[in-house]
Amino acid sequence: MEYKYSTEEHPSTYDTEGLCDGIPVRRNVAADLEEIGTFRAQEDWRQHVGPLGGYKGGLGPRYSFMTVSVPECLPDRLEIISYANELAFLHDDITDNVSKEEGDVANDEMMHAFHEAASKGDIQGASGKRLMQAKILKEMLAIDKPRALVAMKSWAKFVESASGREHHDFKSLDEYIPYRSFDVGQLFWHALLTFGCALTIPDEEADLCRELMIPTWIAASLTNDLFSFQKEYDDAKKIGQPYVVNAVWVLMQEKRVPEEEAKLECRKRIKEEIKKANKNAELVKEMEVSEDLKRYIELLRYSLSGNVVWSLQCPRYHKNIPYNGLQLQRAKHGIAKFPARWPPKEQNDLPAEESANPTILNGTNQLNGVGSPADSPKLNDFAVDGLPTNGARSPLIPNGVKTSTGNDQSWKGNSVKHTDDVILNTKLPDLSDQIVEEPFKYVSSLPSKGVREHVIDAINAWLKLPPQPLVTIKKVVQMLHNASLMLDDIEDTSPLRRGKPSTHEIYGGSQTSPPGIKPNLDTLACLLGRYFQIRDDYMNLFSPDQQQQQLANLRFLTKYTKAKGFCEDLDEGKYSLPLIHALQARSPHNPLLPSPPNSPNHPNYSPLTDNNTIHNTQLQSLLIKRRLHGSLAFEQKQLVLAHMQHAGSLEFTRGVLEALYSELEGEMGRLEGEFGVGVLELRRVVEKLKV
């Protein structure tokens, strides 16, 4: 096999502890680009998502992860796949430190963006992670569009099916390995490798490829578990999880052995799988298969050896191991001051200390052969979680404009003249629509149930529109809906939308204000609209799984109220159906509504128990309070709910919903008869809305 972009490391320079015998270690010639991609990802995360704390990712003082795990990556692709891999590390650290439910939400956000990328070739939305995913997509599309789209599809499938979604307390290694060998990220890694090395596995060879790679994925997953056990144990302990999703833990529980004995058993199994992987790599050489498949099998072996040597010396798994000098300087001063050193102008231009392997001398980090233990940067002097602001280029400074940093001598003596040159002669970039579009992108990025899209798909079973117009219709409907949400939140002064701050709460009201159905579907559309709105009124107060607790305990915060805000309609001053009923039901002169038990029109009415006037006055007084103060306290909302409960308003609203649901079912049946086509998808959507 020909190696174009890597060199083999001499065995004396690394240790594998005998875990991957028969597989050398190779190192990418453009290793410096991994650091650039990694620091870019950390900086973007800190800017767009949140602080990194003590996070440590894919860098190592001698061997960084991608450099030795994808050693034959094309140099022009190494930076962006390193950025993508660092995002995966960051995402993993989130899902490992939260509950399963919160982890699923984080996975769903990633999944939807990757699905969008694979299907549309674009990622919209203003959330931090979406912005990072969009950057990955844009750069990968510019390099290799077909493989970029395949990568997006693979990543979407991985986040949808694996990524810790089915974590539980496994009872045996035999039960655990099939799950772990998939969850370790084989679809994610497959996409990185095929894109990075420009490989394409023919569809007819996909099954053979999967079969040949089984021992490789098992070895990779167990290697990961072996070295990450302490980190994962600490993470599980932090969130109060009574088990660790790790082979070492599973062996400890299954065989009733201490940690070290379980690790020895894990090492034994890794070596067995490595032997199988080596055997498969030799077998495929004699097969009549594509060269890309042969190359893929061979390169994945280097992922195994690379993972081992990285794991043995990475700060991610070893708290006492520091980064090298150049990494520390980039962390402190930024990649703007210490930019990429690839490609070198001439190979001889690189001093030995700056070349492929930055070294640690006498336990101290030295950069460019300069410095001493006394003036070398120390690990605790500054964070190594990304780029500080003093090393980053301001977004207000156009590309191509030199800035004064550090010891830049060109700005000394004649700074006024230089400033004038910048002001008068620099061509500033054209203003974009980004500022105007940001509120809309933000609200579009918020999680949605996708009801409108499902309804459109379902109705299309009757209309038979071709795919492209259907996509346009969905996009227009979604845009109109999101625009209406922004206006609705401004008018209602709603603080929350889908569990996040409303758009105007972030961008302000001024920036947020935004500068055909066939006739025989009108009835269906009207019924759906009414049902959805009244359901929204009802769900703002109660959710079905709390119905049995309504009388006993009003301190409920359902999934809906957590996202929408507890009884937010009351804060907004909305006269929803339950509230209108409660107000009307208190009047003894309203013949249009069923009489409550204490009404003079009720058979069991007694003047001695008539407290309608008291209740009606309290309810109206609370609504006046809301109008004066702009909101109600939690206890005041509880009292309003008690009035609604007493008046039978919630039961009344539920009865209206049940009647509307029956009408919906009847109308769907009528349309199915008229069009001659049954629409199971529409019935599923409506069924999901049922309360």
Side-chain angles (χ1 to χ4, degrees), residues 215-470:
T216 301
W217 294 124
I218 294 175
S221 61
L222 293 178
T223 300
N224 178 274
D225 285 5
L226 177 66
F227 293 108
S228 67
F229 175 73
Q230 188 60 51
K231 178 181 182 299
E232 292 174 357
Y233 177 86
D234 292 341
D235 290 342
K237 187 176 180 181
K238 193 181 303 180
I239 63 174
Q241 183 174 284
Y243 59 88
V244 185
V245 184
N246 184 290
V248 176
W249 176 268
V250 173
L251 285 167
M252 290 169 64
Q253 306 307 308
E254 180 186 8
K255 298 183 178 294
R256 304 293 180 184
V257 296
E259 177 183 336
E260 289 307 313
E261 191 171 334
K263 286 185 174 180
L264 289 175
E265 185 71 19
C266 190
R267 287 173 179 273
K268 179 181 176 181
R269 182 63 183 271
I270 291 170
K271 294 178 182 179
E272 291 173 359
E273 299 301 330
I274 291 286
K275 288 180 181 178
K276 295 176 186 177
N278 287 337
K279 183 178 179 180
N280 286 351
E282 292 302 316
L283 286 174
V284 79
K285 292 178 182 178
E286 307 302 321
M287 294 181 180
E288 293 184 2
V289 294
S290 66
E291 288 302 314
D292 273 10
L293 177 57
K294 292 181 179 180
R295 190 168 178 81
Y296 178 86
I297 300 294
E298 180 69 5
L299 291 178
L300 264 176
R301 294 172 67 237
Y302 290 107
S303 294
L304 295 175
S305 59
N307 187 26
V308 170
V309 297
W310 171 75
S311 297
L312 283 167
Q313 51 85 70
C314 67
R316 182 172 177 84
Y317 298 153
H318 306 278
K319 295 179 180 179
N320 62 323
I321 294 181
Y323 291 98
N324 67 47
L326 180 56
Q327 291 164 350
L328 291 170
Q329 293 286 11
R330 281 173 167 163
K332 182 176 183 180
H333 302 290
I335 54 177
K337 188 170 183 179
F338 293 92
R341 304 185 176 193
W342 178 270
K345 294 179 181 179
E346 291 185 14
Q347 192 63 34
N348 292 335
D349 287 350
L350 288 178
E353 294 84 2
E354 298 180 20
S355 60
N357 294 321
T359 56
I360 299 177
L361 305 176
N362 302 322
T364 64
N365 298 309
Q366 298 185 358
L367 181 65
N368 302 337
V370 179
S372 64
D375 59 24
S376 296
K378 298 177 182 178
L379 186 63
N380 294 328
D381 286 346
F382 39 80
V384 293
D385 59 2
L387 298 178
T389 54
N390 66 343
R393 173 175 286 272
S394 168
L396 300 178
I397 300 175
N399 288 331
V401 178
K402 292 184 178 180
T403 58
S404 176
T405 56
N407 297 319
D408 188 348
Q409 301 296 317
S410 66
W411 284 80
K412 289 186 177 180
N414 200 10
S415 59
V416 174
K417 180 179 183 299
H418 280 280
T419 304
D420 289 343
D421 287 342
V422 170
I423 294 173
L424 297 176
N425 300 325
T426 300
K427 177 175 171 52
L428 296 175
D430 293 334
L431 293 175
S432 70
D433 296 330
Q434 182 178 356
I435 299 299
V436 177
E437 294 174 352
E438 278 302 310
F440 182 79
K441 289 180 179 178
Y442 170 75
V443 75
S444 300
S445 72
L446 298 179
S448 171
K449 296 182 286 294
V451 172
R452 281 154 294 281
E453 290 84 352
H454 290 309
V455 170
I456 291 171
D457 285 332
I459 291 176
N460 196 47
W462 292 324
L463 302 181
K464 306 294 185 184
L465 292 176
Q468 191 54 48
L470 194 67

